[in-house]
């Protein structure tokens, strides 16, 4: 497998700060942030601290969605694993994920919170691959748009590898070797 740096730590920090500015300008004080595990764990950690610097004091929760397993392709149907994050009714919810690919996961998450009475649901992704969409889904906040390449690092994995990398990289070669 060959890794090629796509965005380094400095570039990511700059984009996270920009995103925090844009988010801070359009959310209420009682914001509920829900990170989608596992991929969003690094992004959420940096984003909430960037928001704190701007005076935003969100509640932070996480949810786990059924996912790819060890494959690089989406199974196409999504369900919640485990308990729903509590106290959704009347809240402004910002769902945070690492990447919007087919859009199926975040489309599910958006409906999930809307159906449970959220006052408003917004989504934020570090990466967006709009060319891969299978459903009409547009995130409100996007860090970087990417072409149809497989990205790892900064929380994103390839069969559970590379989540720990502090930068984003493209990976070529077959998965699961
Ligand atoms: P979607 O439901 O197809 O939009 O898929 C979203 C999930 O697929 C993301 O939360 C990631 O976990 C995973 N995913 C999609 N593209 C990539 C990629 O390039 N690298 C790593 N994970 C990816
Ligand atoms: Mg994910």
């Amino acid at each position: 497998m060959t890794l090629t740096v796509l965005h380094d730590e400095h570039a990511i920090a700059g984009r996270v700060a920009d995103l925090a500015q844009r988010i801070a300008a359009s959310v209420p004080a009682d914001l509920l942030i829900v990170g989608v595990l596992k991929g969003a764990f690094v992004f959420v950690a940096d984003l909430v601290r960037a928001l704190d610097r701007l005076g935003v004091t969100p509640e932070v929760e996480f949810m786990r969605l059924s996912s790819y397993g060890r494959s690089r392709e989406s199974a196409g149907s999504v369900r919640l694993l485990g308990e729903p994050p509590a106290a959704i009714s009347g809240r402004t919810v910002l769902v945070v994920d690492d990447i919007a690919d087919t859009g199926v996961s975040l489309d599910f998450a958006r409906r999930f919170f809307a159906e449970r009475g959220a006052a408003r649901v917004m989504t934020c992704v570090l990466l967006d691959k709009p060319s891969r969409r299978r459903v009409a889904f547009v995130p409100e906040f996007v860090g970087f748009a990417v072409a149809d390449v497989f990205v790892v690092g900064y929380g994103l994995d390839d069969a559970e590898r590379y989540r720990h990398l502090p930068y984003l990289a493209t990976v070529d070669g077959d998965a699961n070797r």
Side-chain angles (χ1 to χ4, degrees):
M1 300 267 223
T2 310
L3 295 180
T4 307
V5 176
L6 179 66
H7 297 294
D8 65 15
E9 285 180 75
H10 183 74
I12 295 168
R15 287 305 285 156
V16 170
D18 289 349
L19 282 170
Q21 292 272 2
R22 292 177 42 220
I23 291 165
S26 57
V27 294
D30 69 336
L31 178 67
L32 171 61
I33 287 183
V34 181
V36 181
L37 292 171
K38 300 177 194 171
F41 81 105
V42 179
F43 182 35
V44 170
D46 282 348
L47 186 65
V48 295
R49 288 177 291 173
L51 287 167
D52 175 78
R53 285 172 212 122
L54 302 171
V56 181
T57 57
E59 180 183 340
V60 183
E61 300 283 350
F62 288 91
M63 72 195 298
R64 189 121 193 230
L65 301 176
S66 61
S67 71
Y68 289 24
R70 292 179 64 86
S71 160
R72 286 186 188 175
E73 286 299 315
S74 170
S77 69
V78 181
R79 65 197 170 81
L80 178 73
L81 301 176
E83 294 299 307
I88 295 160
S89 183
R91 307 289 297 278
T92 295
V93 181
L94 179 67
V95 184
V96 178
D97 205 353
D98 51 0
I99 186 165
D101 185 43
T102 65
V104 170
S105 304
L106 284 171
D107 185 59
F108 171 89
R110 187 193 283 287
R111 288 169 201 275
F112 180 89
F113 291 110
E115 283 166 9
R116 280 158 187 78
R120 190 171 169 207
V121 186
M122 294 181 287
T123 55
C124 175
V125 291
L126 181 65
L127 297 165
D128 190 15
K129 278 189 208 173
S131 65
R132 295 256 308 166
R133 280 303 191 286
R134 272 198 251 151
V135 292
F137 169 78
V138 180
E140 279 79 8
F141 304 101
V142 174
F144 302 100
V146 287
D148 185 7
V149 290
F150 202 79
V151 183
V152 297
Y154 198 75
L156 290 92
D157 74 307
D158 185 12
E160 297 304 328
R161 297 174 68 195
Y162 308 121
R163 291 194 198 275
H164 56 88
L165 297 176
Y167 53 86
L168 290 161
T170 55
V171 56
D172 59 30
D174 289 338
N176 308 330
R177 276 194 286 176

